Amino acid sequence: MDELRTLYPKVPVGQPQGARNEDSTYLHLIVCYLEYCALTELLGIEGATQVLESLPFYRWIYKTVRADADQLETIMRQHKLMP
């Protein structure tokens, strides 16, 4: 979480951009990154992007996950958070 806070010092709180509170938005960066990975495996990058862009919630989170996937993957692997 500290690395995410350093990477994203200001995150949105509340729908439709963020989660319930700041901590939840940071947590959802992790959860939604894993969701993006799973969707990419099933649908490919274009399909995963189409699904996530159609959702009416976590808009900033999903946009950030797609844009910064490489950086998030590095953090996830360093902390053994990848399945």
Side-chain angles (χ1 to χ4, degrees):
M1 292 297 233
D2 290 339
E3 289 180 52
L4 293 176
R5 287 181 190 280
T6 299
L7 193 57
Y8 309 106
K10 179 101 173 105
V11 297
V13 172
Q15 296 290 330
Q17 298 300 320
R20 178 177 17 147
N21 56 44
E22 192 175 277
D23 289 338
S24 185
T25 297
Y26 286 114
L27 178 62
H28 276 81
L29 281 167
I30 295 168
V31 172
C32 293
Y33 172 77
L34 293 171
E35 180 181 6
Y36 177 64
C37 290
L39 284 170
T40 300
E41 287 290 317
L42 292 171
L43 306 173
I45 291 174
E46 286 183 30
T49 298
Q50 186 176 16
V51 168
L52 297 182
E53 286 179 348
S54 73
L55 298 174
F57 47 85
Y58 304 148
R59 308 284 301 165
W60 177 87
I61 297 169
Y62 285 126
K63 180 180 175 185
T64 301
V65 162
R66 290 190 322 273
D68 298 343
D70 292 340
Q71 287 177 295
L72 293 170
E73 179 182 5
T74 298
I75 292 169
M76 298 287 284
R77 289 194 184 283
Q78 285 175 346
H79 295 282
K80 297 179 172 85
L81 297 173
M82 297 294 288

